[in-house]
Each structure stands twice: as C-alpha cells, then as structure tokens.
Amino acid sequence: MKLGVLTGGGDCPGLNAVIRAVVRKALQSNYEIIGIKEGWKGLLEKKYIKLDRESISGILHRGGTILGTSRTNIYKEKDGESTVIKNMLEAHIDAIVAIGGEDTLGVASKLFKAGVHVIGVPKTIDNDLNATDFTFGFDTAVNVATEAIDRLHTTAESHNRVMVVEVMGRHAGWIAVYSGIAGGADIILVPEKQYDIEEVCNILKKRHATGKSFSIVVASEGAVAKKSNNGKEGDMILQDQKLDSFGHVRLGGIGYMLAEEIEKRTGFETRATVLGHIQRGGTPTAFDRVLATRFGVFAAELVEKGQWGQMAALKGNEIVAVSLAEATGQLKTVDLELLKVAGTFFG
Ligand code: F6P
C-alpha cells in the first residue's frame, strides 16, 4: 500500500501531530507513505515528499504543517478530478488521508464518490465541522483568545475603557463563545444570532451605570447586525470582495466598526483588538496534541480496514468513523443552550 497524506485549507495547530500519528501507525503496517504538498494543489502539480520515521521526527509540538497547505479546489480547475485520479495512478498512490475542514473534506467526499480511496481527518480552529464534537486546533485557538481577553481585562480596567476583541469564526461563533465565557466577556456576538447595536450599547450603558467602568465585548469576525439580510457572507464586514476558490470572501474589520459605533453611541472610550491569525499559529495545546494523535492513529486504522469515504470523529470521548458526506453536509453551529449560558453574564 502506498498512502498519500495531505493538509488543506487554513492551517491549524495540531496538523503536524496528525501527520506524525498517521505515519507512525501506517509504518507499523509496512506502508509506503508520501506527503502531498500544499493540499489538493500538490496532487494537481505532482508535488510530493517522502514521509518516514526520520522526516516526521520532532514535529508533534510544532504549529503549522510540514506539508504546506492551500485553498485549492480541484473542482474549480479544468479537468481537476480526472487530473487528480491520473496523477494518483501515475505515482502509484493507493489511498489518501486528507486532513482538512469543510472545503478540503468536501473535495474528499466528491473524490470518494468518483472511486478514490480517501479517509478524512477533521481540522479547523472554527470547530464548525459537522459530525464531530470537536476538531483539533479549536482548543488552542480558544486558549490564545482567552489569554488575550485576560490581558485586555486589566488594561480595560485601568483606563475605564470598553475593549472589543475580534476573534475568528466565519459562520460559527464557537471561539467567541468559549473564549468569551472563559474570559468573562460582558457581551459576545456570534454569526448564529444577529445583533442590534442599540441593544449592545444599552447593555453596556446599564453595566456602567451600576458601578462598572470597563467592559469586554467579544465578536466573531462573521457576526452580523440585525438590519442585514440573513447573515450571508456579503452582509458581513469584509476586508475585500475577492473570493477564494471555495467562494469565501475575506472577513475582518467588525471589531473596529463596533468600537467606533460603541464609542459614538455611549461616549465610553473604546478600543478594538483583532486577534487574527495569532489564533491559528504556534504550538498546539496538550488537548489538541492528544486529539490530533488519536485522529491520526484512527485514520490509519481506517485505511488498514479499507473503510473509504469515512472520517475520524470525536463523539463523547470515543473516536468513531462517520461518513464524509455527513461531515460535510452542513456546518455545526453553536447551540442555543450554550448561547444562553453565555448570555447569563452579559451586562
Ligand atoms: O477557516 C478557518 C479560518 O481561520 C476562518 O476562521 C477565517 O475566516 C479564515 O480561516 C481566514 O483565512 P485566511 O487564512 O485565508 O486569511
């Protein structure tokens, strides 16, 4: 068996831990393993590297991905699918472990339907992939955001300011809700629930009228105001209008917009901090290293059993197999119960 491994989409702490686990487990079955560089792009362009015990040594704790990544969608390229299949045959690649989020695994799901032997591993700091309780990378991002909120707390208090923290989360507010609850945020704005700026300002005014002189507002980059029309990507605050090959725009800027509006409407001095890619970089937490390792070992076992078209998923504390179709059918958004818990502490 010759096994290919690739990482696609935005990078994420724990990718190297998965690669290491897949390789270590697959070596026990005497497989030949190659790394496909830069996600699906590497299969179109035949960019491969050998993966063996030596090449994966010392990477468990390292952020990023030794394979590189891209947001290439083979279905947007001319003859993308047939080129991938042809190149796999030519390189004698029997199966692929694809480590990615909704977009990368969406491609994997289509390739499986076209007859390719593929197994998925769920990755995204956004934690919005369906059919798994958690994706690896999310815990690290939450810890980074929580530490930032803790730090902003002390300076907010010293200066009697409102601090707006913009965190990642395109269609789901998992990072905002988890870091907001952990960091004691006074307001959390998420894509799942449209916000009313007047209401936000009233909550802050009430809080400041009852003795508090500072506040923390955590906002997902994809949060949408009520006046917009259904929270489509076009209604979000965008950095520019360009679309990537999966049709996504570049979000960013809601933090600055909110800070300006809040200061204007309440008179409270307000500052914005955009955490951006800091949430995605650097070393994974112990939780993410363990989850990534479990996913990687399980994915290699799925290869061994020939359970193609499946993805490793966390359900409770068990790692189980779910179909790629189920995992990529729809996004997993924050449930209302959790939003209710967060809302208990607003104001
Ligand atoms: O998909 C993960 C994610 O981090 C999103 O939260 C964010 O909107 C996007 O990637 C940013 O992508 P890029 O790295 O292309 O700027």
Side-chain angles (χ1 to χ4, degrees):
M1 162 84 73
K2 187 167 179 184
L3 179 63
V5 182
L6 64 83
T7 54
D11 71 344
C12 174
L15 282 167
N16 285 326
V18 181
I19 296 167
R20 169 181 175 267
V22 171
V23 173
R24 289 288 293 269
K25 183 70 185 164
L27 283 175
Q28 289 175 7
S29 309
N30 293 319
Y31 295 167
E32 187 185 343
I33 310 141
I34 60 158
I36 298 159
K37 301 278 287 173
E38 296 164 32
W40 296 117
K41 188 172 170 210
L43 261 183
L44 291 174
E45 298 178 2
K46 305 185 198 175
K47 288 184 176 169
Y48 313 120
I49 54 165
K50 189 176 163 54
L51 288 178
D52 54 17
R53 184 82 189 240
E54 189 54 36
S55 57
I56 51 120
S57 172
I59 65 169
L60 171 63
H61 64 288
R62 269 171 57 191
T65 161
I66 58 164
L67 297 178
T69 186
S70 72
R71 293 194 188 272
T72 300
N73 181 355
I74 60 162
Y75 289 96
K76 284 283 155 63
E77 305 293 324
K78 189 170 177 294
D79 303 324
E81 184 182 277
S82 54
T83 307
V84 160
I85 293 171
K86 181 170 74 61
N87 290 348
M88 279 183 71
L89 279 172
E90 193 186 286
H92 306 289
I93 301 170
D94 301 299
I96 291 173
V97 171
I99 312 165
E102 211 225 344
D103 296 330
T104 303
L105 297 183
V107 169
S109 185
K110 286 186 190 159
L111 282 172
F112 167 65
K113 284 187 195 126
V116 174
H117 291 169
V118 59
I119 298 293
V121 175
K123 165 246 64 158
T124 164
I125 64 160
D126 290 354
N127 196 38
D128 59 359
L129 203 65
N130 204 25
T132 183
D133 290 352
F134 289 103
T135 49
F136 69 87
F138 171 64
D139 184 67
T140 307
V142 167
N143 275 286
V144 169
T146 304
E147 195 199 329
I149 295 168
D150 287 348
R151 288 175 183 276
L152 290 167
H153 242 117
T154 59
T155 169
E157 198 166 2
S158 307
H159 286 267
N160 298 334
R161 282 175 177 156
V162 176
M163 291 291 191
V164 180
V165 193
E166 178 182 315
V167 297
M168 280 187 170
R170 181 173 284 275
H171 296 292
W174 290 104
I175 298 177
V177 173
Y178 266 66
S179 64
I181 292 174
D186 305 299
I187 291 181
I188 302 170
L189 306 179
V190 293
E192 288 84 348
K193 194 166 180 269
Q194 297 188 359
Y195 69 88
D196 178 346
I197 188 69
E198 202 51 47
E199 212 176 288
V200 168
C201 291
N202 286 341
I203 292 173
L204 293 175
K205 280 186 202 157
K206 207 166 134 207
R207 174 178 155 84
H208 289 225
T210 51
K212 292 289 181 190
S213 54
F214 71 95
S215 292
I216 303 284
V217 178
V218 178
S220 300
E221 60 181 353
V224 185
K226 254 185 188 149
K227 62 175 168 33
S228 71
N229 106 57
N230 294 330
K232 297 273 180 280
E233 285 203 355
D235 296 326
M236 296 165 177
I237 309 293
L238 312 182
Q239 279 192 41
D240 58 51
Q241 300 285 340
K242 266 185 266 145
L243 300 179
D244 69 16
S245 73
F246 287 95
H248 302 306
V249 285
R250 267 183 79 199
L251 300 181
I254 186 172
Y256 293 112
M257 187 278 283
L258 282 169
E260 206 181 308
E261 260 325 286
I262 289 170
E263 186 164 298
K264 202 167 76 194
R265 289 168 185 252
T266 61
F268 304 144
E269 196 179 12
T270 305
R271 295 284 191 271
T273 302
V274 180
L275 294 186
H277 293 80
I278 288 172
Q279 295 157 98
R280 284 218 321 240
T283 188
T285 58
F287 179 90
D288 278 337
R289 292 181 207 187
V290 173
L291 183 59
T293 299
R294 292 177 77 195
F295 278 157
V297 168
F298 192 85
E301 285 169 0
L302 289 177
V303 171
E304 179 121 36
K305 292 181 202 148
Q307 280 184 245
W308 313 122
Q310 303 281 297
M311 180 188 88
L314 181 71
K315 293 273 168 110
N317 199 29
E318 297 282 299
I319 307 289
V320 298
V322 297
S323 76
L324 281 169
E326 185 192 344
T328 55
Q330 66 181 83
L331 284 176
K332 184 186 70 189
T333 50
V334 176
D335 52 81
L336 293 178
E337 268 317 299
L338 197 56
L339 288 178
K340 241 167 79 185
V341 171
T344 312
F345 303 93
F346 288 1

